[in-house]
Amino acid sequence: MRGHRVAGRPRPGHTAPEGEGQKNQNYKGHGLSKGKEREQRVSIRFKTTLMNTLMDVLRHRPGWVEVKDEGEWDFYWCDVSWLRENFDHTYMDEHVRISHFRNHYEVARSQGKGIFLFRRLKDIMDWRKGTAGKKLTGLEAPPARNAVNPSGSHDSRSSDDQKDEIPVENYVAQRYIENPYLIGGRKFDLRVYVLVMSYIPLRAWLYRDGFARFSNTRFTLSSIDDQYVHLTNVAVQKTSPDYHPKKGCKWMLQRFRQYLASKHGPEAVEALFSDMDNIFVRSLQSVQKVIISDKHCFELYGYDILIDQNLKPWLLEVNASPSLTASSQEDYELKTCLLEDTLHVVDMEARLTGREKRVGGFDLMWNDGPVSREEGTPDLSGMGNFVTNTHLGCVNDRSNQLRQLFRSLQSQKKASS
């Protein structure tokens, strides 16, 4: 497992060798909690800079105490700027957890940044010169992992030295999906949440709830520069003149799944959601070898999926920092439950056994291999009767499941003692 812990640095409670103090003066340590082992801790010190639903969940979690400024912490839901500046210089005790992997950006970008539509090849050159294509800054299509946003300038000088000064720009060209599945004449995409606890080995959980995000304007290809037609991001749609803040522009995934089943039948819906499962796993596997896997890190990803008229899912984006700000009461309740269950899986309290296949609204989707809904070790030789342990858009009776889970864990603990 690759990480960023330097051998020879003093362990918690140990004194640095003579001469080491000056070299390590900028080396910060966290989680050094008076020598207590993880299973003995009854108080979790948390830190975050995000003032939204996340803060509400953290502050209401039993036994969790907020740490401000430079105080030591056990759990940090950090932003990416902190990660870039501090991760490589921070010592973390065994139990400490943070909310990003070091190079989380390997999977994708967000909000369709740096993407534009064009009809003719000439439009690309016009856009490159800065004379066209600036009305619409982003549309749904997967960007290159290392795509460079255009500078908007053009230099026609031809000397070798001058050519060397011009930065190389990388682009991905993709045909626009012209036949999106429409509901009420409007385009939409799906926001789905995947929690990755480890990349080596890959261990990923899929959340049962999510939502469909609708555009406010009926779909048409006659106006490709109208962002309210083509972009379903809430950040864009809420600026629409006819946006209704109380109603929002979302459907819960359970409602969406029921709608599709009523129109196309349960078998077609099962096939669609199975194809989406494949997207989630394959996208994580595609970066598994380049992500810096660290036992202190986890990642809550927001997947954006587009569905076409043939009920084929397309991956649009993977967001490593999905919005945790609620746009409606229903949205607030979903994200509150999502975050509570994320903390249950991260398990700072050390209550889980590690053998769970469901925790609240999360179902274990991949654990160094596919996870079956059936108990025991499945026979993967033919994959004939194998059914993946995913329930996206199904009933999420998380409260009952959590009560039963923790009651059972408590009984096991008492029996063993």
Side-chain angles (χ1 to χ4, degrees):
M1 181 177 292
R2 294 172 288 178
H4 294 267
R5 308 293 170 254
V6 180
R9 286 195 168 118
R11 293 183 58 79
H14 287 64
T15 304
E18 186 176 354
E20 288 290 309
Q22 182 67 29
K23 182 169 66 174
N24 290 328
Q25 63 180 353
N26 294 323
Y27 195 66
K28 300 178 182 179
H30 290 285
L32 316 183
S33 52
K34 317 303 183 207
K36 293 182 179 180
E37 296 297 329
R38 185 181 179 211
E39 59 269 22
Q40 296 175 314
R41 287 181 297 107
V42 294
S43 177
I44 310 296
R45 301 165 297 178
F46 76 86
K47 184 176 181 180
T48 186
T49 57
L50 303 179
M51 300 300 295
N52 50 31
T53 310
L54 173 66
M55 182 62 82
D56 294 344
V57 171
L58 291 172
R59 284 177 173 171
H60 287 89
R61 193 163 181 85
W64 287 49
V65 181
E66 184 177 2
V67 172
K68 297 183 179 180
D69 301 323
E70 296 301 315
E72 288 187 0
W73 41 266
D74 305 300
F75 178 93
Y76 190 6
W77 198 293
C78 61
D79 54 33
V80 294
S81 61
W82 181 92
L83 196 74
R84 286 193 298 265
E85 296 171 6
N86 299 282
F87 186 85
D88 293 332
H89 313 290
T90 302
Y91 179 86
M92 300 180 197
D93 207 13
E94 183 74 17
H95 69 277
V96 168
R97 297 292 181 267
I98 61 174
S99 61
H100 291 294
F101 287 93
R102 178 64 179 86
N103 55 337
H104 60 90
Y105 48 79
E106 295 287 353
V107 182
R109 302 178 69 180
S110 61
Q111 296 185 357
K113 294 175 182 176
I115 303 168
F116 62 96
L117 289 182
F118 61 91
R119 294 185 183 277
R120 302 168 300 173
L121 292 177
K122 179 180 180 298
D123 295 338
I124 300 180
M125 295 307 300
D126 291 339
W127 175 82
R128 177 65 181 84
K129 296 173 183 178
T131 60
K134 297 213 171 182
K135 291 182 180 179
L136 189 60
T137 59
L139 284 178
E140 294 104 325
R145 188 177 70 192
N146 297 317
V148 179
N149 285 336
S151 61
S153 61
H154 180 68
D155 192 340
S156 59
R157 293 173 294 178
S158 59
S159 73
D160 291 339
D161 291 339
Q162 290 169 337
K163 285 182 179 179
D164 290 340
E165 296 175 0
I166 302 175
V168 176
E169 297 174 352
N170 300 315
Y171 302 90
V172 168
Q174 175 181 310
R175 182 171 181 173
Y176 183 71
I177 299 173
E178 302 177 35
N179 64 332
Y181 193 100
L182 304 178
I183 296 180
R186 289 170 171 79
K187 185 180 178 180
F188 66 91
D189 70 356
L190 305 181
R191 165 54 59 88
V192 181
Y193 296 98
V194 174
L195 175 62
V196 177
M197 294 301 298
S198 168
Y199 269 98
I200 304 177
L202 182 60
R203 184 176 174 87
W205 300 73
L206 179 65
Y207 203 61
R208 295 189 173 198
D209 286 335
F211 45 82
R213 307 181 300 183
F214 290 85
S215 63
N216 266 322
T217 307
R218 294 179 70 86
F219 181 76
T220 176
L221 288 174
S222 62
S223 179
I224 65 171
D225 60 350
D226 189 340
Q227 59 182 351
Y228 300 127
V229 171
H230 301 281
L231 279 176
T232 57
N233 305 76
V234 176
V236 173
Q237 290 297 327
K238 69 181 182 181
T239 65
S240 173
D242 58 348
Y243 178 77
H244 197 299
K246 290 186 178 180
K247 293 182 179 179
C249 49
K250 297 179 179 179
W251 271 13
M252 296 292 287
L253 268 184
Q254 187 175 348
R255 179 183 179 186
F256 171 74
R257 184 164 186 153
Q258 292 172 345
Y259 174 86
L260 286 186
S262 67
K263 293 201 65 175
H264 304 281
E267 291 185 359
V269 174
E270 282 290 342
L272 166 63
F273 278 70
S274 177
D275 289 342
M276 285 195 284
D277 291 343
N278 192 54
I279 287 176
F280 305 141
V281 172
R282 295 291 179 255
S283 61
L284 295 174
Q285 289 177 327
S286 71
V287 296
Q288 187 178 11
K289 293 183 179 180
V290 296
I291 290 286
I292 302 171
S293 189
D294 190 296
K295 63 184 177 182
H296 298 93
C297 304
F298 68 92
E299 196 86 51
L300 179 63
Y301 291 109
Y303 274 73
D304 295 343
I305 304 290
L306 180 72
I307 298 173
D308 67 20
Q309 292 176 1
N310 299 316
L311 294 186
K312 177 180 179 179
W314 299 82
L315 176 61
L316 301 180
E317 295 177 344
V318 184
N319 297 273
S321 296
S323 173
L324 300 177
T325 301
S327 58
S328 65
Q329 181 60 34
E330 190 175 44
D331 193 27
Y332 180 83
E333 293 172 0
L334 183 153
K335 289 177 178 174
T336 296
C337 295
L338 167 71
L339 291 170
E340 288 178 352
D341 292 345
T342 297
L343 299 182
H344 290 320
V345 175
V346 174
D347 192 30
M348 292 299 297
E349 297 88 351
R351 294 178 291 184
L352 303 180
T353 66
R355 300 185 297 272
E356 292 80 8
K357 290 169 50 173
R358 183 186 176 189
V359 177
F362 276 109
D363 295 295
L364 185 59
M365 173 174 55
W366 193 269
N367 188 19
D368 200 22
V371 180
S372 172
R373 291 186 189 179
E374 302 299 326
E375 295 299 327
T377 303
D379 179 12
L380 302 179
S381 58
M383 297 291 286
N385 298 322
F386 185 87
V387 180
T388 306
N389 184 45
T390 55
H391 304 266
L392 183 62
C394 296
V395 174
N396 185 8
D397 54 340
R398 57 177 296 275
S399 297
N400 290 334
Q401 194 276 338
L402 288 171
R403 279 195 296 269
Q404 294 175 8
L405 173 64
F406 290 120
R407 188 183 300 120
S408 174
L409 292 173
Q410 191 174 24
S411 299
Q412 293 176 30
K413 185 177 181 181
K414 289 181 179 179
S416 63
S417 61

